[in-house]
Amino acid sequence: MISVLTLTYQRHHILEEAIHSFLLQFKEDSEMVIINDSPNSHYTFDHPQVRIFNIKERFPNISKKLEFGFQQCKYDFIYRLDDDDLLAPDALKISEQFILENPGYEIYRPKKHYFFLHNKFEKIGGNVNNGNVYTKQYVNRITFPDSSFGEDFDITYRTNARIYESDDKPTMIYRWGMSTYHVSGMGNIDTQPYRDW
């Protein structure tokens, strides 16, 4: 029922943790779709629910990378998870529950997430993407902006979407301060100073 879409770029150890959080969901009708556009990295993972697309050239921006990723997802509902974030326990079951109980929306989003700073819990926080779930029909109807900044805001709030916001438990662990720079699709930025693997 749910695809988890994750963009990545040369953050191997963090990506492994995101995959692990997905596998801990124990949900059969789900998949994780990983979009890697680092020409210097080729990822493989032998699990039927994890599909990795290794693209040989960088996308021009994060929005185009997102658009490509959404197109690869096979389920009608698509959960956005960055490679440095984690799915909370039962995240997909909680998401499925509020989708089934509230049909007819294009975006389903918790109002909050668990905020971790340097891998330590800080607070219950909120952001544009708290574990947003987009319908396939919705992402097929919108035009993606040509941008690497504010793309989550644009695809969530600037498209007249029908949004359902949930007060239930957060479904995502938002991590900050992971000693890596987030360059999933920001053009030709030198990432050497930020690598820690």
Side-chain angles (χ1 to χ4, degrees):
M1 177 175 179
I2 296 181
S3 298
V4 176
L5 173 59
T6 300
L7 310 185
T8 194
Y9 184 83
Q10 294 186 8
R11 300 205 294 184
H12 321 302
H13 64 296
I14 295 177
L15 177 62
E16 289 175 356
E17 294 172 355
I19 294 171
H20 185 248
S21 77
F22 167 75
L23 295 176
L24 289 175
Q25 300 295 305
F26 299 110
K27 190 163 182 352
E28 289 185 13
D29 57 343
S30 66
E31 66 170 354
M32 187 175 205
V33 174
I34 298 167
I35 310 299
N36 166 44
D37 65 340
S38 170
N40 301 321
S41 302
H42 183 89
Y43 300 138
T44 60
F45 196 83
D46 188 17
H47 193 282
Q49 289 176 271
V50 177
R51 296 191 297 133
I52 301 176
F53 293 82
N54 292 293
I55 310 302
K56 299 298 184 186
E57 294 182 9
R58 296 295 305 278
F59 284 92
N61 53 60
I62 294 177
S63 291
K64 294 304 178 186
K65 191 170 180 177
L66 268 177
E67 184 176 14
F68 175 81
F70 279 123
Q71 292 169 355
Q72 309 317 308
C73 295
K74 71 178 183 180
Y75 289 109
D76 290 334
F77 298 95
I78 304 165
Y79 188 112
R80 268 279 288 122
L81 182 76
D82 285 332
D83 61 354
D84 57 342
D85 298 326
L86 304 172
L87 293 168
D90 295 321
L92 299 185
K93 289 179 182 177
I94 294 168
S95 298
E96 180 178 330
Q97 182 178 348
F98 67 71
I99 290 168
L100 293 175
E101 291 176 355
N102 303 276
Y105 290 90
E106 296 176 306
I107 300 173
Y108 295 83
R109 61 184 307 274
K111 290 183 178 178
K112 304 290 182 182
H113 60 244
Y114 298 109
F115 180 76
F116 277 64
L117 179 63
H118 303 295
N119 269 335
K120 291 184 180 179
F121 176 72
E122 286 284 312
K123 62 182 180 178
I124 302 289
N127 205 336
V128 174
N129 180 20
N130 296 318
N132 296 357
V133 178
Y134 301 87
T135 66
K136 187 86 160 175
Q137 185 177 15
Y138 172 71
V139 296
N140 286 339
R141 84 160 172 84
I142 67 171
T143 300
F144 283 76
D146 195 20
S147 172
S148 287
F149 299 95
E151 69 285 343
D152 281 324
F153 184 87
D154 287 342
I155 68 170
T156 304
Y157 292 116
R158 291 190 173 156
T159 52
N160 298 314
R162 295 187 306 277
I163 302 173
Y164 174 79
E165 292 191 322
S166 168
D167 287 316
D168 289 345
K169 289 194 309 184
T171 62
M172 188 178 80
I173 297 170
Y174 181 90
R175 301 196 295 176
W176 191 256
M178 299 299 296
S179 72
T180 57
Y181 193 55
H182 196 182
V183 292
S184 291
M186 294 169 61
N188 295 319
I189 294 176
D190 179 12
T191 59
Q192 190 64 39
Y194 305 100
R195 293 180 187 161
D196 58 0
W197 56 84

